[in-house]
Amino acid sequence: MSAPKVSPEARPGAGFLERCCAIAGAAHVLTGEADTAPFLTDWRGRFTGRALAVLRPADPEQVAQLVQACAAHRVPLVPQGGKTGLVLGSVPDASGSAVVLSLARLNRVRALDALNRTITVDAGCILQTIQEAAAAEGCLFPLSLAAEGSCSIGGNLSTNAGGTAVLRYGNTRELCLGLEVVTPQGELWNGLRALRKDNTGYDLRDLFIGAEGTLGVITGAVLRLFPQPKASITALVAIAAPRQALDLLRLAQDRCGASLTGFELMSDFCLRLVGTHFPSLAQPFVTRHPQYVLLELSSSESEQHAVGLLEQTIADAIARDIADDAVVATSVGQSLALWQLREHIPLAQAAAGKNIKHDIALPVSRIADFIDRTDALVLAAYPGCQLVCFGHVGDGNLHYNVAPPPGAAHEDFLLNQEAINRIVHDSVAAHAGSISAEHGIGALKRDELKRYKPEVELNMMRAVKAALDPLGIMNPGKIL
């Protein structure tokens, strides 16, 4: 990631760090190499930036005061949550001119209203903590990610995270009713409204969701909760090809309606990769199949209702030659085991070595065509490379990753990243898709965005950025 040139005006004036210490306390203004190191390297270990300091405020008021200090001294700042992102959105560049603003200490569940089905939380609250707080009151917060034990809700909102339940509940944007945000001028906006309907002007909340910290710092949120389902039933269905997955999706949606809460596609290579690196996870089929769908139903009636609906759907799929075989979980433990196969795919990839990742979105109807066409293009250009394709097919989000051929040097293969990105992203564009589904743009895809976004759209984004952050201090170099 290249570092922008820092003008003299962008360098901090005398007393900047002293001012930060007065606001947050000297113990929470980190400048030593050992203290700042954990905040400077991205989750995949591909890039390490530099920072003037790491600031760790305790509450939204301290965030506002620190941003005021940054604005007064023209110091760029990089908001940071759980640091689980994959596009270099929450780490500083190599210039050393920016401060990292860690929201880790803002980790409270502020309030839970079971009747209104809302929960109000700090931005640094860990996603799993929110899930558990909701469950303790008989409610469900449905956002679910592989990194839910370490990612924070502020980061989820800033990237409009998706996860495994978008098919039923929507992205993080759909799960948020109100926000609390510190503006680039250091003003604290309290938009924590727990309302489903509020037609009083521009929806400012939507400006900050998905903005990756480039327009302001999210410090709190009001989130939607849902009734806990009476039962959730999971099955792993064996199919011949991605096209059958689309047929199965249509059948399941027609039969199950809103009860269908999960629909994940994964190839046999994905499951074999998990089996190699996590042999303790049982492989459910003796006979291998080309592709699999992990399907989940949630019922508000009873477990018996959910089981009957799922079994009938699978029976119909097999009778219509859409599916070849299926394993239905008969206990919570078996259901978790099936989900672990899916959730361990990224971990197995990491254990296998480095690879070239693509987080893409497509119209659901074009997923099979995209996979067939892109597989052929990539394999023709790089014979023997390993394609790790899986994702949330129910909402059109694929993780299309390319790994080196067996025995090839991973670092050497990564030199092909730009060329492979071009093949994959050009194919995404040809199939009316998006080069980023749920991971954001960050710094990693910034130049790619310029290639695929219409100029009129980029100009509108630049106008919003200039209006809200005229000094350009909020997460510079990300998105635009």
Side-chain angles (χ1 to χ4, degrees):
M1 183 168 63
S2 61
K5 293 180 179 179
V6 182
S7 66
E9 291 78 19
R11 298 185 185 280
F16 170 70
L17 290 180
E18 288 82 356
R19 175 63 181 148
C20 293
C21 288
I23 295 167
H28 299 292
V29 178
L30 311 180
T31 55
E33 185 176 341
D35 294 329
T36 59
F39 300 87
L40 304 182
T41 300
D42 77 296
W43 183 80
R44 296 170 69 193
R46 298 280 186 90
F47 177 82
T48 299
R50 296 172 55 236
L52 179 67
V54 174
L55 312 179
R56 301 179 69 247
D59 53 45
E61 290 73 24
Q62 286 189 6
V63 174
Q65 293 175 52
L66 289 170
V67 174
Q68 289 171 18
C70 289
H73 290 269
R74 304 295 195 269
V75 176
L77 62 108
V78 180
Q80 188 177 98
K83 204 166 67 73
T84 59
L86 301 179
V87 293
L88 309 184
S90 62
V91 291
D93 62 27
S95 70
S97 62
V99 294
V100 171
L101 186 70
S102 170
L103 281 297
R105 296 178 68 204
L106 278 72
N107 57 11
R108 295 176 303 135
V109 173
R110 301 188 193 180
L112 191 151
D113 187 336
L115 183 58
N116 196 44
R117 296 205 185 280
T118 54
I119 185 170
T120 305
V121 299
D122 282 350
C125 211
I126 300 300
L127 175 55
Q128 186 174 328
T129 300
I130 299 171
Q131 295 168 341
E132 292 170 350
E137 295 297 326
C139 297
L140 170 71
F141 183 62
L143 182 63
S144 181
L145 315 170
E148 61 195 28
S150 52
C151 65
S152 67
I153 194 63
N156 300 148
L157 288 160
S158 292
T159 58
N160 190 26
T164 58
V166 173
L167 175 62
R168 167 65 178 85
Y169 298 101
N171 290 301
T172 311
R173 185 184 302 277
E174 284 73 51
L175 300 176
C176 179
L177 295 176
L179 287 181
E180 178 184 75
V181 176
V182 173
T183 72
Q185 293 71 40
E187 297 175 306
L188 183 60
W189 170 53
N190 185 344
L192 295 173
R193 303 183 185 98
L195 303 172
R196 270 73 175 178
K197 294 182 177 180
D198 181 8
N199 240 345
T200 53
Y202 300 136
D203 193 343
L204 299 177
R205 171 199 59 180
D206 276 347
L207 280 175
F208 299 101
I209 298 175
E212 301 183 51
T214 62
L215 301 179
V217 182
I218 295 173
T219 55
V222 179
L223 307 170
R224 298 176 62 195
L225 301 179
F226 297 82
Q228 280 281 2
K230 296 289 193 301
S232 293
I233 306 298
T234 307
L236 189 66
V237 182
I239 58 175
R243 201 164 302 281
Q244 277 66 47
L246 303 186
D247 293 337
L248 179 60
L249 175 62
R250 182 168 183 173
L251 176 64
Q253 288 176 320
D254 288 345
R255 291 295 175 85
C256 307
S259 295
L260 182 64
T261 52
F263 197 94
E264 302 281 314
L265 177 69
M266 45 194 168
S267 68
D268 181 60
F269 181 76
C270 292
L271 284 197
R272 285 191 282 119
L273 195 65
V274 171
T276 297
H277 295 282
F278 298 95
S280 62
L281 297 179
Q283 299 279 324
F285 293 102
V286 175
T287 303
R288 316 268 354 161
H289 299 270
Q291 300 280 339
Y292 303 91
V293 166
L294 184 64
L295 188 154
E296 182 180 81
L297 296 188
S298 297
S299 174
S300 59
E301 296 184 28
S302 66
E303 182 175 345
Q304 182 180 3
H305 173 261
V307 170
L309 196 57
L310 181 58
E311 289 181 343
Q312 186 59 57
T313 300
I314 291 172
D316 287 352
I318 292 174
R320 298 184 188 190
D321 293 327
I322 294 173
D324 299 325
D325 199 358
V327 172
V328 179
T330 58
S331 68
V332 173
Q334 288 182 3
S335 179
L336 290 174
L338 292 179
W339 272 107
Q340 281 191 321
L341 292 173
R342 160 63 180 87
E343 291 169 354
H344 276 70
I345 295 172
L347 300 176
Q349 281 191 279
K354 295 180 178 179
N355 55 86
I356 299 170
K357 294 185 181 295
H358 306 93
D359 161 50
I360 59 176
L362 298 152
V364 172
S365 58
R366 305 195 69 176
I367 285 175
D369 291 338
F370 168 83
I371 293 175
D372 290 345
R373 178 63 177 155
T374 312
D375 283 1
L377 290 170
V378 174
L379 289 170
Y382 299 93
C385 68
Q386 302 173 96
L387 303 175
V388 186
C389 181
F390 62 100
H392 324 299
V393 168
D395 59 56
N397 177 195
L398 284 181
H399 300 294
Y400 189 93
N401 303 332
V402 184
H410 286 230
E411 294 293 345
D412 291 343
F413 187 75
L414 289 181
L415 298 175
N416 301 306
Q417 178 160 327
E418 184 175 348
I420 290 175
N421 285 349
R422 186 67 56 247
I423 294 172
V424 175
H425 289 162
D426 281 355
S427 186
V428 168
H431 289 84
S434 166
I435 64 169
S436 178
E438 60 180 359
H439 291 164
I441 296 298
L444 192 65
K445 293 185 179 181
R446 183 184 60 209
D447 294 336
E448 290 289 280
L449 189 70
K450 290 190 293 186
R451 184 180 181 90
Y452 296 102
K453 277 278 191 189
E455 189 65 21
V456 64
E457 193 169 346
L458 287 170
N459 284 338
M460 286 191 287
M461 292 170 63
R462 293 178 184 121
V464 171
K465 171 72 171 173
L468 294 184
D469 181 24
L471 297 178
I473 64 171
M474 301 300 300
N475 215 5
K478 315 299 167 60
I479 303 183
L480 298 172

